């Protein structure tokens, strides 16, 4: 089978924010993993764990969504500022009813961003907060001149304002964020965004409205109709559950049968239909594409690792997750004209994580390596392809700085796949080719065997007469860069 890549046609830019991450006050998503505190024996810089930060810097995290998720709608930002010993201890009612000591707050979040080199994406509390509380938080973060909140920030040790790039108004307001109807939410959104102060006129804060739960097309329709002209992005949440069953077993993360491999891939592919249908509705209300679709929660969701707190959502990550990530990232790239940001849930220790930690140990997951391999697509131009692709194969291509990168996944468990690529400008040579695969469909990294699944050099690609031939092994993700 053969694909012709139209690399002389100008495609949309693939936003680097598609590779965004999400960290919530949930289990060990922040405490003990990203943030250990200055006094920890685990090496850290200003409390941020050095091994984890270093690993994340390698994948160039472009943006980090915080503080939730469901937690956001119970979060009162004033609890997380000022001297640590005076910070209020609260109960995290969403995630395990554990004590939250608020030692990681606004200042710590921006310090983490500084170390990662990532942009800010903060989700406001509209569920149990107030308009004033939200407005004052933004004033605290972004006001350069003299004001009550900028003075408070300075008293707490930060002279200059921070740069707040993205701001979410509502999280899952259709569910745990307030159980609102879309008509009501649209009005709440309009009210809150009215009082969102924009102090930095050169860099206005990008406003994200709460969008639909997976296929709730009525939500998208209603919010676009009533609030569409007041927002920059509307967010979609969609998780991949092998069984599709939220109430009983979602499926085991490691010991799963083949049919759950298949259902995971099918459900990951479903993202394409969701984006297509939601953006068709958006096209109707916003034909000039002023509003982006943001997928600020996505990823696989399994039963928690046995013996761990059910409220901590800790799960292993196998070759199956690598393929689910490749499928999803390819879909986002294909829809680069509307998808401006996506945030996988979640960055460390929660759901489909990049990194797992245990005490002072740390491992990189197969999903981490897919994000690593796909970095070349960040801010590159999408290259459209025409032709037929084999069953169970996913791919996208992009070009940047005169180089073309094709990323592919073969999620067939039994058969390797052959695929050829041609381009308007014939290929001359392969500059770099990498494969991520494992011996078994559930191969994964552990603290005792941290390198079971790591990228290797790929030798299954060859060029003849300007044509690229790729022989894709079963259950593999491959990335090839060419001139
Ligand atoms: O990512 C875990 C949770 O999933 C988030 O807190 C919530 O928004 C979603 O339901």
């Amino acid at each position: 089978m053969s694909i012709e890549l139209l690399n002389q046609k100008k495609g949309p830019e693939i936003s680097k924010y598609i590779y965004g991450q999400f960290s919530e006050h949930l289990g060990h998503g922040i405490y003990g993993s990203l943030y250990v505190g200055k006094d920890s024996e685990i090496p850290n810089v200003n409390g941020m764990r050095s091994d984890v930060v270093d690993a994340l810097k390698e994948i160039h995290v472009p943006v980090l969504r915080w503080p939730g998720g469901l937690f956001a709608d119970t979060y009162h930002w004033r609890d997380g500022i000022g001297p640590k010993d005076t910070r209020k201890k609260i109960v995290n009612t969403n995630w395990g009813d554990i004590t939250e000591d608020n030692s990681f707050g606004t200042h710590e979040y921006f310090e983490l961003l500084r170390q990662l080199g990532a942009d800010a994406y903060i989700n406001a509390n509209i569920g149990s907060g107030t308009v004033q509380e939200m407005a004052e938080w933004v004033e605290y973060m972004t006001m350069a001149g003299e004001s009550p909140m900028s003075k408070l920030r300075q008293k707490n040790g930060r002279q200059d304002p921070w740069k707040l790039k993205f701001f979410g108004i509502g999280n899952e307001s259709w569910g745990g964020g307030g159980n609102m109807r879309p008509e009501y939410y649209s009005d709440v959104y309009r009210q809150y965004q009215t009082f969102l102060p924009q102090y930095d006129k050169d860099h206005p804060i990008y406003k994200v409205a709460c969008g639909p739960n997976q296929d709730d097309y009525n939500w998208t329709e209603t919010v676009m109709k009533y609030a569409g002209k007041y927002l920059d992005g509307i967010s979609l949440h969609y998780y991949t559950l092998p069984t599709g069953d939220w109430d009983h077993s979602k499926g085991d993360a490691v010991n799963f049968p083949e049919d759950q491999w298949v259902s995971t891939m099918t459900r990951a592919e479903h993202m394409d239909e969701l984006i297509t249908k939601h953006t068709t509705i958006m096209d109707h209300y916003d034909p000039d594409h002023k509003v982006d679709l943001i997928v600020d929660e996505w990823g696989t969701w399994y039963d928690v690792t046995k013996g761990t707190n059910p409220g901590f959502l800790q799960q292993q990550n196998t070759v199956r997750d690598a393929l689910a990530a490749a499928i999803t990232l390819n879909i986002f790239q294909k829809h680069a004209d509307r998808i401006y940001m996506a945030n996988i849930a979640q960055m460390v220790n929660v759901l489909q994580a990049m990194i797992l930690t245990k005490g002072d140990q740390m491992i990189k997951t197969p999903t981490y390596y897919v994000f690593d391999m796909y970095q070349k697509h960040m801010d590159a131009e999408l290259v459209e392809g025409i032709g037929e692709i084999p069953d169970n194969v996913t791919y996208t291509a992009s070009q940047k700085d005169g180089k073309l990168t094709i990323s592919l996944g073969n999620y067939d468990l039994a058969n390797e796949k052959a695929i050829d690529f041609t381009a308007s400008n014939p290929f001359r040579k392969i500059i770099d080719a990498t494969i991520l695969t494992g011996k078994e469909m559930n191969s994964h990294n552990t603290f005792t065997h941290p390198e079971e699944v790591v990228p290797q050099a790929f030798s299954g690609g060859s060029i003849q007469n300007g044509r690229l031939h790729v022989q894709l092994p079963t259950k593999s993700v491959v990335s090839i860069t060419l001139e």
Side-chain angles (χ1 to χ4, degrees):
M1 288 195 185
S2 166
I3 304 286
E4 185 190 351
L5 294 174
L6 308 177
N7 61 337
Q8 281 181 338
K9 191 174 153 198
K10 183 132 185 70
E13 187 172 300
I14 297 168
S15 162
K16 67 176 177 185
Y17 296 118
I18 282 176
Y19 293 90
Q21 300 281 336
F22 168 37
S23 284
E24 179 168 8
H25 290 239
L26 194 177
H28 296 298
I30 293 177
Y31 294 111
S33 55
L34 286 164
Y35 180 74
V36 289
K38 286 180 186 160
D39 300 332
S40 172
E41 284 176 7
I42 299 177
N44 67 85
V45 175
N46 297 329
M48 308 302 149
R49 190 170 161 162
S50 301
D51 55 350
V52 173
V53 168
D54 287 347
L56 293 169
K57 273 162 77 175
E58 284 170 33
I59 57 169
H60 296 102
V61 174
V63 61
L64 179 61
R65 179 174 183 244
W66 174 81
L70 289 174
F71 181 77
D73 277 306
T74 60
Y75 184 62
H76 299 285
W77 67 273
R78 279 189 173 82
D79 296 347
I81 57 168
K84 302 237 166 161
D85 55 356
T86 64
R87 293 192 190 177
K88 198 190 269 181
K89 290 190 172 53
I90 59 161
V91 179
N92 188 335
T93 47
N94 282 300
W95 305 116
D97 283 343
I98 54 147
T99 302
E100 158 67 59
D101 70 2
N102 278 301
S103 54
F104 187 93
T106 305
H107 290 250
E108 291 75 20
Y109 169 65
F110 280 100
E111 170 59 14
L112 175 62
L113 294 183
R114 186 192 68 75
Q115 293 188 25
L116 293 175
D119 284 327
Y121 177 16
I122 286 193
N123 220 105
N125 176 353
I126 70 162
S128 65
T130 63
V131 173
Q132 182 179 2
E133 183 181 4
M134 176 210 70
E136 288 182 343
W137 194 11
V138 175
E139 181 187 328
Y140 186 88
M141 292 185 279
T142 64
M143 175 63 185
E146 186 176 328
S147 80
M149 290 304 114
S150 67
K151 279 166 95 173
L152 182 59
R153 182 189 70 230
Q154 286 159 2
K155 187 174 147 233
N156 287 330
R158 171 77 189 189
Q159 184 63 30
D160 296 329
W162 293 287
K163 188 160 172 248
L164 179 55
K165 174 97 183 160
F166 299 99
F167 197 66
I169 300 177
N171 170 74
E172 300 195 348
S173 306
W174 35 261
N179 284 307
M180 301 177 197
R181 295 172 305 115
E183 292 81 2
Y184 178 73
Y185 169 75
S186 299
D187 283 343
V188 170
Y189 173 84
R190 285 168 61 136
Q191 181 193 11
Y192 271 75
Q193 70 82 40
T194 304
F195 298 99
L196 173 69
Q198 296 277 7
Y199 297 112
D200 183 351
K201 305 287 180 237
D202 297 332
H203 304 100
I205 299 164
Y206 181 108
K207 295 178 282 190
V208 182
C210 167
N213 180 22
Q214 41 191 35
D215 59 355
D216 185 350
Y217 300 112
N218 178 50
W219 184 279
T220 303
E221 172 105 36
T222 309
V223 174
M224 286 301 293
K225 183 169 171 189
Y226 294 119
K229 65 177 179 190
Y230 301 101
L231 46 94
D232 299 304
I234 180 168
S235 75
L236 162 69
H237 285 186
Y238 174 63
Y239 285 100
T240 303
L241 281 64
T243 62
D245 186 345
W246 284 101
D247 301 325
H248 305 98
S249 173
K250 301 177 182 74
D252 194 281
V254 177
N255 299 311
F256 54 87
E258 270 190 34
D259 65 339
Q260 288 193 10
W261 167 283
V262 174
S263 63
T264 304
M265 301 304 139
T266 309
R267 289 171 191 277
E269 288 281 16
H270 184 55
M271 181 70 89
D272 192 31
E273 178 182 325
L274 294 174
I275 293 174
T276 304
K277 290 191 173 166
H278 285 295
T279 54
T280 303
I281 295 168
M282 291 170 70
D283 287 347
H284 176 73
Y285 292 96
D286 173 38
D288 298 330
H289 284 207
K290 288 189 179 141
V291 179
D292 303 310
L293 184 64
I294 304 294
V295 188
D296 60 14
E297 286 190 29
W298 69 273
T300 54
W301 193 322
Y302 309 124
D303 296 338
V304 300
T305 305
K306 286 195 180 65
T308 63
N309 187 324
F312 285 11
L313 310 187
Q314 202 275 357
Q315 65 187 38
Q316 249 298 358
N317 196 295
T318 69
V319 167
R320 174 174 62 165
D321 294 85
L323 267 302
I327 288 171
T328 310
L329 292 170
N330 284 340
I331 292 168
F332 292 158
Q333 298 198 153
K334 207 174 106 190
H335 290 278
D337 58 336
R338 273 284 195 184
I339 307 281
Y340 185 55
M341 174 165 62
N343 309 77
I344 189 169
Q346 300 191 5
M347 191 159 74
V348 186
N349 285 332
V350 176
L351 300 175
Q352 191 175 354
M354 307 295 111
I355 285 173
L356 301 176
T357 65
K358 186 167 128 195
D360 62 357
Q361 291 176 281
M362 179 207 95
I363 50 174
K364 297 172 179 171
T365 65
T367 301
Y368 171 95
Y369 289 116
V370 173
F371 272 67
D372 193 13
M373 289 162 69
Y374 272 61
Q375 284 192 59
K376 287 182 183 151
H377 296 296
M378 286 186 184
D379 290 336
E381 191 185 294
L382 181 72
V383 175
E384 201 188 310
I386 45 173
E388 244 190 294
I389 52 164
D391 286 347
N392 299 334
V393 169
T394 169
Y395 89 96
T396 41
S398 72
Q399 54 190 355
K400 186 161 76 172
D401 304 330
K403 295 179 188 110
L404 191 137
T405 297
I406 308 171
S407 293
L408 308 106
N410 173 13
Y411 50 92
D412 196 309
L413 283 174
N415 305 297
E416 64 173 40
K417 299 284 160 107
I419 179 164
D420 282 11
F421 290 93
T422 58
S424 331
N425 298 326
F427 297 123
R428 288 193 300 122
K429 64 172 180 193
I430 295 174
I431 306 172
D432 185 39
T434 310
I435 182 167
L436 185 73
T437 185
K439 288 193 201 81
E440 311 294 340
M441 65 179 179
N442 65 351
S443 295
H444 57 281
N445 298 328
T446 62
F447 294 98
T448 40
H449 295 98
E451 303 211 329
E452 279 295 304
V453 184
V454 289
Q456 314 274 354
F458 176 61
S459 56
S462 56
I463 296 177
Q464 254 190 349
N465 302 326
R467 187 183 182 94
L468 171 72
H469 175 76
V470 185
Q471 200 68 29
L472 276 180
T474 65
K475 51 181 169 28
S476 65
V477 179
V478 164
S479 199
I480 305 175
T481 301
L482 309 117
E483 270 179 355

